[in-house]
Amino acid sequence: MTRPAGVATSARRGALLLPLLAVAAVAAAGAGLVAGRAVPASGVWEVLGGGGDPTARHVVLHLRLPRTLVALVAGASLGLAGTVLQSALRNPLAGPEVTGVTPGAVLGAVAATGLGLAGWESPAAVVTAACLGGFAGAGLLWLLAGRQKGDPAQMAVHGVLVSAVLAGLTAMVLLVAPGELGSVVQWLVGSTEGRVWEHWHLLWPWAALWATAACGLAAPLTLLRCGDEQAAAAGLNTGRARVAALVCAVALTAGAVSAVGALGFVGLLVPHLALALFGADLRVALPGAALLGSVVVGGADAAAQWVSQVAARVLDADRLSVPVGALTTCVGAALLLLVARRRTAGDEWE
C-alpha cells in the first residue's frame, strides 16, 4: 500500500531539513561558545582542542559549555511541548505560556525561592518545585474545563484564565517576600545566566524521557488534529490520548522552566514554523520542532550575549547582562502579530 502523496512529500522534506536543522543547532551552540569577552573565539577553539590556560578552560568548559547545552535542550523541550499542546487541543494559539503550564512552573519556582526552599544554587530543588507547579497549573486547567475538555476553544479560554490567576499568585509571592525579587526576576523573564553542569545533568535525562514519549504519540496526535469524531471513528480513545499528550507537554515545559525560567513565545511559535516546514506528518514535525526550538533558544542565547557586550560598551558599564527571555519575548511578540493577522475568525486549522 502506497502512502498519500502529502505524507510522502513531508517525509522527503523532513529527510532534507532535519539534518540541516541539526547543523543549525550545532552552529547556534558554536556561536554561544564564542560569545563573551573573557575568552575570544581563538581561545575557545584552543580549549576545545585540549589546550588553553586554566582560566580559559574554566570559562569555556564550566561556564559557557553547560549554559549552551542547557539552552539547546530547554529550547527543544519547549518547541516539542508547544507542538504537542497545539495538536492535542487543536488550537494553533495554544502554548505552554497560555495553558497554565509555564505560569504554574514559574509560580512553583518563585514560591520555593521566596520560602527559602530552593534557589539558583540548588537546581534539584528548583526542578522539583517547578515541575510540581507546572502539573498543578495543568491540573487546575483540567478541573476548570470540566466536561468541556474536548472543546479546543473553551480549553484555550480557560487556559488564559488559569494563566492570569497563576501570574497573580506569583505577584503576591513577590509582595510577601520582596527581598527575593532580585533572585526570582530571572524566572519571570527567562535566563540562561549561571547555568552549570548540575543543571545539565538534571535537565537532559528528564527531557530525553518525555521527548521520547511525546514522539511516540505522533500517530494519536495526528488523529486528534483531525477532530475527535474522526479520531474516534479510527478507533482512538481520544480522552486517554489527550491526557497522555498533555502530561508529556507539561513535563517537558516544567523541565525547561526549571532550568531557564519562562522563555516567552518559544513554545507558542516554534510549532507554527515546524508545521510550515514539515507539514502535518507529526512523525517528522515533532523532531523538527525540537530541533527548531534548539536553534531558536540557542541562537537567542548567543545573541543575548553579543547584545550584552555591545550595550555594556555603549553604556560604559562594567558588566551588563541581557536575559535571553527578553529577546525571545520581543521577537516572539512581533511574530505572533504576523501569525494572528494571517488568520481570520472563520479559519479551520488543517
Side-chain angles (χ1 to χ4, degrees), residues 268-279 289 292 296 335:
L268 185 61
L269 292 175
V270 164
H272 289 274
L273 297 175
L275 292 174
L277 290 174
F278 298 101
L292 275 170
V296 168
L335 291 177

Side-chain angles (χ1 to χ4, degrees), residues 211-303:
T212 301
C215 289
L217 292 172
L221 285 172
T222 301
L223 290 175
L224 286 176
R225 290 183 74 247
C226 298
D228 284 10
E229 292 183 2
Q230 293 88 335
L236 178 68
N237 186 320
T238 58
R240 291 181 181 178
R242 186 168 281 115
V243 168
L246 293 178
V247 168
C248 288
V250 170
L252 286 166
T253 302
V257 171
S258 70
V260 298
L263 297 181
F265 294 102
V266 176
L268 185 61
L269 292 175
V270 164
H272 289 274
L273 297 175
L275 292 174
L277 290 174
F278 298 101
D281 187 356
L282 292 182
R283 294 173 300 176
V284 181
L286 287 174
L291 285 173
L292 275 170
S294 292
V295 173
V296 168
V297 177
D301 179 51

Side-chain angles (χ1 to χ4, degrees), residues 186-200:
Q186 298 180 78
W187 295 114
L188 304 177
V189 180
S191 175
T192 55
E193 192 74 22
R195 303 302 86 198
V196 294
W197 285 116
E198 188 174 359
H199 297 91
W200 165 252

Side-chain angles (χ1 to χ4, degrees), residues 103 106-107 110-111 163-178 181 184 188:
V106 170
L107 175 60
V110 169
S163 298
V165 170
L166 294 174
L169 291 175
T170 301
M172 291 177 61
V173 172
L174 294 179
L175 289 175
V176 173
L181 178 60
V184 302
L188 304 177

